[in-house]
Amino acid sequence: MFYRPEAGHGLPHNPFNALVAPRPIGWISTRGRRGDNLAPYSFFNAVAYVPPQVMFASTGAKADRLGTKDSVAQITETGVFCVNIASGDMRDAMNASSAPLPAGQSEFQAAGIEAVECETIECLRVAGAAASLECRMTQIVPLAGQSNFAVFGVVTGIHIRDDCIVEGRFDPRAAGGWLSRLGYKDYAAVTELFEMDRPT
């Protein structure tokens, strides 16, 4: 099979998300003039070691935000955000926080998710997350297409749940594994690992 995206794929569902998978989920918390927000983004990853940096991409827009979603709008206002790493034991809470609530209505409260203040930025984080990365935004890059933006940030503080440190290594399998997004409505909790040495 071959298709050009602009011509359509002819399948019952768009296969693109399923081809680039699994993808870690950046569970992004922000604070803005209208209040606190929490939303999961599956276009998320780390991009550099020193200093540690991450990015996530937001696609689409809400009617009560001008050409974007709550997360990007609030990061534009404050310049900070927190990436909460959701593990398998928090999958229902993560999914509940994806509800399209009106701007200013807190997903923390609506989904009953416990929140605590960050240490290095003025923002809430998910108290039970396997890890949380406090970030200062470095740039927001408009992408091709309407209402597509990539947000980059440098990590200024890292929280790790104590039970996810096993023999000196971060390992959220005790918390249900790494939660990731596949295509369609599919998710996975990564609990099986193997090691390989790189060639020298």
Side-chain angles (χ1 to χ4, degrees):
M1 175 181 177
F2 170 79
Y3 73 95
R4 298 181 187 275
E6 65 272 16
H9 45 74
L11 298 172
H13 305 284
N14 188 345
F16 177 72
N17 285 3
L19 302 176
V20 184
R23 298 183 307 280
I25 298 169
W27 203 5
I28 309 298
S29 53
T30 59
R31 174 174 286 161
R33 288 191 294 267
R34 299 191 190 183
D36 295 306
N37 184 263
L38 178 66
Y41 290 85
S42 66
F43 292 129
F44 160 73
N45 224 308
V47 295
Y49 282 122
V50 182
Q53 295 166 74
V54 295
M55 66 76 61
F56 76 94
S58 175
T59 64
K62 293 177 68 213
D64 56 5
R65 293 290 192 180
L66 292 175
T68 189
K69 294 181 178 176
D70 294 321
S71 301
V72 174
Q74 296 198 156
I75 293 168
T76 301
E77 291 175 11
T78 66
V80 300
F81 62 98
C82 185
V83 179
N84 303 278
I85 306 299
S87 47
D89 63 354
M90 299 200 76
R91 64 185 184 186
D92 292 333
M94 180 280 301
N95 191 50
S97 71
S98 69
L101 302 180
Q105 186 173 343
S106 170
E107 288 79 8
F108 285 102
Q109 293 179 356
I113 299 169
E114 184 181 356
V116 293
E117 291 286 341
C118 291
E119 297 288 333
T120 65
I121 60 174
E122 291 190 16
C123 184
L124 291 179
R125 63 181 178 89
V126 176
S132 296
L133 313 175
E134 300 179 5
C135 302
R136 292 198 179 277
M137 181 266 290
T138 54
Q139 58 181 319
I140 298 177
V141 180
L143 304 175
Q146 189 172 5
S147 300
N148 294 329
F149 298 93
V151 179
F152 291 84
V154 62
V155 179
T156 59
I158 299 175
H159 303 265
I160 303 175
R161 242 170 69 180
D162 289 342
D163 64 328
C164 294
I165 300 176
V166 180
E167 297 180 355
R169 296 171 65 164
F170 176 68
D171 186 347
R173 284 179 289 182
W178 287 265
L179 190 61
S180 59
R181 181 75 190 271
L182 291 90
Y184 318 114
K185 297 180 181 180
D186 300 331
Y187 292 80
V190 179
T191 57
E192 295 184 17
L193 309 180
F194 61 90
E195 292 188 356
M196 291 193 297
D197 292 324
R198 292 183 178 182
T200 57

